[in-house]
Amino acid sequence: MIQRIVTGVLALALFMFFLFLGHIWFAMFMLLLSLIGYFEYVRITQNKVRQFSSVLGFVFVIYLVLPWSEMGITLFDSLALYTVIWGMLLMFLLASVFSKNKQDIKKISLLFLGAIYIGFGFHYMALTLFIEDGLFWALFIFISIWLTDAGAYFSGLAFGKHPLWPSISPKKTIEGSIGGILITLTAAIIFSILSPDLLELKQGIILAIVISIFSQLGDLIQSAYKRVYDVKDSGTILPGHGGILDRCDSWIIVFPLLHLFHIL
């Protein structure tokens, strides 16, 4: 627990440093995290990091993560996103042909899926700082996710009796899940009191519930695919916490959801 707390404090300090630097600095930090996350994903799915389809995946992640136009780079503006996605899909599929199925369709499909999953997730984290009052919204979302995680963990320890989803994550409980939602609701109420011009109470409550529920679903998603490969942690870069994907599994789901469905 001491190692977990020390690592958490240091990681949080570094994260906040880049968050408050803002915009391009934070986007580049998100890119770094996404590349480490994709590296972990490649290893989890038992692919080789240096094979062509994996390298292609890293390139795809870079393209997806960075908010190019907001950074003043118009290089990709003329390319529609679906055109790039289809082009990358073609490249991945051709990798199976030119490798004579040494890179088979199953593993290539996982690499393509991982690039979309991680690339879109970190893209919308980076993009958040470029929207109006982006720092406020980024803080609200990240704090809500962290409180959901902490609230669920400690509520589960104190009151947990009924398993939430034992076939996927045996230690998670219904009581812990509810505790995570309640503490996130409390935080949303505080945010709305401190900044009523940015976050109305009703909006804060809706956001807190959506963030907390999908934050926990993001956690379960990663637990599900790690269980397939019998992996406990995605990596070892964060002692006591595991890998980047272990810490960012909820972020990857929540941020695209809030942006794409215009919930913010």
Side-chain angles (χ1 to χ4, degrees):
M1 180 58 74
I2 293 175
Q3 184 185 55
R4 186 180 179 90
I5 292 172
V6 171
T7 301
V9 169
L10 293 176
L12 179 62
L14 181 64
F15 184 86
M16 286 298 180
F17 173 74
F18 281 100
L19 183 64
F20 280 92
L21 276 181
H23 296 94
I24 294 177
W25 286 101
F26 186 67
M28 299 308 294
F29 184 56
M30 290 297 98
L31 176 61
L32 174 63
L33 295 185
S34 70
L35 292 174
I36 297 172
Y38 192 70
F39 173 84
E40 294 173 352
Y41 180 87
V42 170
R43 298 289 295 272
I44 289 171
T45 54
Q46 300 174 1
N47 280 283
K48 296 178 180 179
V49 174
R50 295 184 181 180
Q51 70 187 29
F52 174 74
S53 52
S54 297
V55 174
L56 186 63
F58 282 106
V59 173
F60 196 17
V61 168
I62 293 172
Y63 169 77
L64 290 174
V65 170
L66 292 177
W68 297 100
S69 58
E70 283 76 11
M71 293 169 60
I73 301 173
T74 59
L75 179 63
F76 300 110
D77 281 359
S78 60
L79 296 174
L81 179 60
Y82 56 79
T83 305
V84 175
I85 290 176
W86 187 87
M88 280 292 183
L89 174 62
L90 176 62
M91 294 289 286
F92 273 100
L93 293 173
L94 286 175
S96 65
V97 175
F98 292 119
S99 69
K100 299 178 181 178
N101 264 342
K102 290 180 180 179
Q103 299 174 38
D104 63 63
I105 188 66
K106 293 179 182 178
K107 289 191 173 183
I108 283 174
S109 299
L110 286 170
L111 290 172
F112 182 78
L113 173 66
I116 297 286
Y117 165 62
I118 293 168
F120 270 100
F122 281 95
H123 170 79
Y124 284 104
M125 295 176 214
L127 184 64
T128 302
L129 283 191
F130 289 90
I131 67 174
E132 187 176 358
D133 301 307
L135 180 59
F136 171 85
W137 291 115
L139 282 170
F140 174 73
I141 299 166
F142 280 120
I143 289 173
S144 295
I145 293 172
W146 294 332
L147 287 177
T148 292
D149 187 36
Y153 177 77
F154 289 109
S155 296
L157 283 180
F159 310 108
K161 292 182 180 179
H162 302 89
L164 176 66
W165 216 299
S167 61
I168 297 297
S169 188
K171 294 183 179 180
K172 288 182 171 57
T173 64
I174 294 174
E175 292 82 1
S177 177
I178 293 172
I181 294 172
L182 291 177
I183 194 170
T184 306
L185 278 170
T186 303
I189 292 170
I190 294 172
F191 264 90
S192 66
I193 291 172
L194 295 176
S195 302
D197 53 325
L198 294 177
L199 184 66
E200 295 179 358
L201 181 59
K202 180 180 178 181
Q203 182 190 17
I205 291 172
I206 293 172
L207 276 171
I209 293 172
V210 170
I211 290 171
S212 191
I213 290 174
F214 280 90
S215 174
Q216 296 181 57
L217 286 174
D219 193 332
L220 288 171
I221 287 169
Q222 195 194 20
S223 295
Y225 70 73
K226 285 196 300 185
R227 184 164 291 274
V228 170
Y229 291 97
D230 195 25
V231 173
K232 182 180 183 294
D233 295 322
S234 66
T236 58
I237 194 171
L238 299 170
H241 290 266
I244 294 299
L245 290 181
D246 293 315
R247 290 299 89 208
C248 301
D249 50 6
S250 298
W251 312 359
I252 290 171
I253 297 301
V254 169
F255 275 86
L257 175 81
L258 298 179
H259 279 271
L260 294 172
F261 288 89
H262 305 287
I263 299 173
L264 280 180

